[in-house]
């Protein structure tokens, strides 16, 4: 396949190169695109330097466009790219359009069948949550979900990572910490705001978790309440999750389900102090799930903790998995 990466120099773009390489994706030609700021740069793919091109206003000469340059760019150009290519879009620009499939391959690959050349990649927090929630939902039917997130700086792209690293050095040197990407300085702080506040008091990031969970799990009845918080880690989103189920559930039964769930690593050994963490989930394709226990708040509920590398399963890996599905007949 001829592949084009739009936003190749960004945090997700670089991971797209890494994932294509690691999964041995059959790339016949790779084109890399970014803004004029990146003119003259090149990036390494399979030992070869590939030049970064300034994104043109025209369709791109590739079979698949992996887009990760933000919602504004996708909104403007994806319809143009879709004239000649299949677009796998990492932004939220098209996720809620009824005729645009929103795909997590382990969950709803079948929904790709009728795509019209634009396929949306979910919000990173939602993708990581659903890797654990969906298998449990299939087994025990989830009704209400309460999620509190611990989201890393890289969720805000390369500039978020840089701001955290630079700000931490400034803080430790006793200097004032400047901030631009985040609403407040992130080092040694947590910020309970990701994206803009909505009329109902939730942020858009928090609402995305509800909207996208309902769409991907094809269950408009499921209720999800999220509090999304930025924390000073570089990679990996962690989430504390409480779920009320319709069918009887127990931690042992949940562990059995999650032990064989695709894309999940069950890391649940409190005595051995093994549980999901950014430290262990960084760079991993699978999402870690652990701390599974009977909820004390609901009669038939569970509490658990997940940690997933949001640049991978929350973005680049999921996008490449979608591209892989384009190559084979969809059977699920
Ligand atoms: P550039 O590095 O040239 O600014 P991140 O999510 O890490 O912030 O990365 C955003 C990505 O989107 C980068 O690769 C960035 O390129 C790219 N990008 C931003 N604005 C544009 C634009 N107007 N045209 C093409 N690419 C863009």
């Amino acid at each position: 396949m001829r592949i084009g990466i739009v936003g190749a120099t960004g945090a997700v773009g670089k991971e797209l190169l890494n994932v294509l390489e690691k999964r041995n994706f059959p790339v016949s030609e790779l084109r890399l695109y970014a803004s004029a700021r990146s003119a003259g740069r090149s990036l390494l793919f399979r030992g070869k330097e590939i030049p970064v091109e300034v994104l043109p206003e025209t369709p791109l000469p590739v079979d698949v466009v992996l887009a990760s340059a933000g919602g504004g760019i996708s909104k403007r150009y994806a319809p143009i790219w879709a004239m000649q290519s299949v677009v796998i879009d990492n932004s939220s620009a098209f996720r809620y359009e009824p005729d645009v499939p929103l795909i997590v391959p382990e969950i709803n690959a079948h929904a790709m069948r009728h795509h019209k050349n634009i396929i949306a990649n979910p919000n990173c927090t939602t993708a990581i949550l659903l890797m654990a929630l969906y298998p449990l939902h299939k087994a025990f039917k989830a009704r209400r979900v309460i999620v509190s997130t611990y989201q890393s700086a890289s969720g805000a792209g390369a500039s978020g990572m840089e701001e955290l690293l630079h700000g931490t050095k400034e803080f430790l040197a006793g200097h004032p910490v400047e901030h631009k990407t985040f609403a407040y300085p992130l080092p040694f702080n947590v910020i309970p705001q990701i994206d803009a506040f909505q009329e109902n008091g939730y942020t858009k990031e928090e609402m995305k978790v509800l909207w996208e969970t309902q769409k991907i799990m094809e269950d408009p009845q499921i209720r999800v309440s999220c509090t999304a918080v930025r924390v000073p880690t570089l990679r990996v989103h962690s989430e504390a999750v409480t779920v009320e189920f319709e069918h009887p559930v127990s931690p042992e039964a949940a562990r059995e389900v999650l032990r064989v769930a695709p894309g999940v690593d069950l890391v649940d050994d409190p005595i051995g102090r093994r549980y999901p963490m950014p430290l262990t989930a960084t760079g991993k394709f699978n999402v870690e799930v652990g701390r599974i226990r009977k909820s004390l708040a609901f009669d038939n509920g569970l509490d658990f903790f997940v940690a997933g590398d949001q640049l991978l399963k929350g973005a680049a890996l999921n996008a490449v998995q979608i591209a892989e599905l384009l190559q084979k007949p969809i059977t699920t």
Side-chain angles (χ1 to χ4, degrees):
M1 273 185 177
R2 295 171 306 160
I3 301 284
I5 300 180
V6 176
T9 51
V12 174
K14 286 185 185 151
E15 288 302 330
L16 282 166
L17 287 162
N18 163 32
V19 173
L20 287 170
E21 198 162 328
K22 274 203 177 133
R23 290 178 74 91
N24 214 10
F25 190 94
V27 182
S28 60
E29 189 186 347
L30 184 63
R31 309 284 290 249
L32 305 178
Y33 302 96
S35 78
R37 290 180 291 272
S38 297
R41 284 187 64 184
S42 60
L43 297 170
L44 208 59
F45 181 68
R46 291 184 179 152
K48 225 176 108 193
E49 293 280 349
I50 314 249
V52 178
E53 303 171 54
V54 178
L55 184 67
E57 308 250 334
T58 55
L60 303 176
V62 295
D63 303 306
V64 175
V65 175
L66 301 169
S68 213
I73 297 287
S74 289
K75 218 174 197 99
R76 180 158 165 212
Y77 293 107
I80 299 172
W81 303 330
M83 286 155 51
Q84 287 188 13
S85 317
V86 177
V87 181
I88 301 172
D89 183 30
N90 203 46
S91 82
S92 61
F94 298 95
R95 285 182 196 150
Y96 315 119
E97 306 271 331
D99 61 348
V100 172
L102 176 63
I103 301 294
V104 175
E106 290 86 349
I107 301 176
N108 65 338
H110 63 90
M112 268 175 62
R113 223 177 248 131
H114 304 294
H115 74 78
K116 300 192 171 99
N117 277 5
I118 300 182
I119 300 169
N121 211 33
N123 162 271
C124 43
T125 304
T126 314
I128 288 161
L129 168 69
L130 295 192
M131 291 305 289
L133 181 62
Y134 179 72
L136 297 173
H137 178 59
K138 248 189 3 188
F140 311 110
K141 199 155 172 65
R143 296 283 22 121
R144 293 169 205 256
V145 183
I146 299 166
V147 191
S148 302
T149 74
Y150 308 75
Q151 298 184 218
S152 62
S154 51
S159 64
M161 293 167 97
E162 179 49 37
E163 191 167 304
L164 175 61
L165 286 170
H166 180 72
T168 303
K169 283 185 203 144
E170 294 292 298
F171 184 97
L172 293 174
H175 300 149
V177 178
E178 285 171 11
H179 61 96
K180 206 162 108 199
T181 301
F182 301 115
Y184 289 91
L186 188 57
F188 305 95
N189 189 18
V190 296
I191 306 173
Q193 179 191 354
I194 300 180
D195 211 334
F197 282 102
Q198 310 292 288
E199 263 180 24
N200 63 2
Y202 285 82
T203 61
K204 190 150 184 218
E205 178 82 357
E206 291 161 352
M207 292 310 295
K208 284 176 184 174
V209 179
L210 168 66
W211 297 329
E212 298 182 23
T213 295
Q214 291 181 335
K215 180 162 176 175
I216 295 164
M217 301 214 311
E218 297 171 356
D219 182 353
Q221 306 302 326
I222 192 162
R223 293 169 70 176
V224 184
S225 181
C226 179
T227 303
V229 181
R230 187 76 68 192
V231 299
T233 51
L234 275 176
R235 283 174 84 128
V236 171
H237 289 354
S238 307
E239 307 176 31
V241 189
T242 299
V243 188
E244 184 188 39
F245 292 95
E246 197 167 304
H247 306 317
V249 72
S250 69
E252 295 69 35
R255 274 186 211 107
E256 247 167 63
V257 167
L258 291 169
R259 204 167 276 128
V260 294
V264 168
D265 280 351
L266 185 65
V267 185
D268 196 14
D269 173 17
I271 294 167
R273 289 199 208 156
R274 291 187 66 245
Y275 28 70
M277 284 188 295
L279 192 70
T280 45
T282 291
K284 237 191 200 184
F285 281 179
N286 283 2
V287 170
E288 296 185 346
V289 189
R291 295 287 329 272
I292 301 169
R293 59 211 190 272
K294 191 173 157 37
S295 168
L296 298 179
F298 293 109
D299 289 338
N300 187 45
L302 291 177
D303 285 343
F304 56 89
F305 198 71
V306 301
D309 193 321
Q310 94 292 349
L311 294 177
L312 294 173
K313 187 58 201 173
L317 171 63
N318 200 72
V320 171
Q321 286 177 300
I322 293 172
E324 287 169 352
L325 286 177
L326 291 172
Q327 299 176 298
K328 42 188 162 190
I330 294 162
T331 51
T332 57

